[in-house]
Amino acid sequence: DDETLIITGANSGIGNEILNYFAVRKAVVYIFCRQSLKSEIALNNVIQNSLNSNIFFSQSCGQLNFS
C-alpha cells in the first residue's frame, strides 16, 4: 500500500503500538524519540518481529533527508 509515516514517541506506549501496526504492513516508518537507547531497542525488536527493514530512527528531524 506504499505508506510512509513519521511517528514520535515510538519507543513505548501508543507510539510503539502504532509502530508495530504499520511495520507488519510493510510501511516505511521514521521514528523520532528522545531516548536513543530505548528507541534503538524498540527499533530492533520491531524489525525482527515484522521483518520490515524500512524503519528508521532519529532524535532530530534535521538528520533525515526525505528526497
Side-chain angles (χ1 to χ4, degrees), residues 33-62:
C33 305
R34 291 175 290 178
Q35 299 176 347
S36 62
L37 180 59
K38 287 176 74 175
S39 300
E40 289 179 33
I41 292 169
L43 177 76
N44 290 331
N45 287 339
V46 77
I47 288 172
Q48 280 185 325
N49 294 335
S50 68
L51 302 177
N52 181 353
S53 60
N54 291 316
I55 303 169
F56 307 96
F57 162 72
S58 180
Q59 285 185 287
S60 168
C61 295

Side-chain angles (χ1 to χ4, degrees), residues 7-17 19 31-34 39:
I7 302 173
T8 60
N11 61 334
S12 64
I14 194 165
N16 189 261
E17 293 298 320
L19 170 61
I31 64 172
F32 295 93
C33 305
R34 291 175 290 178
S39 300

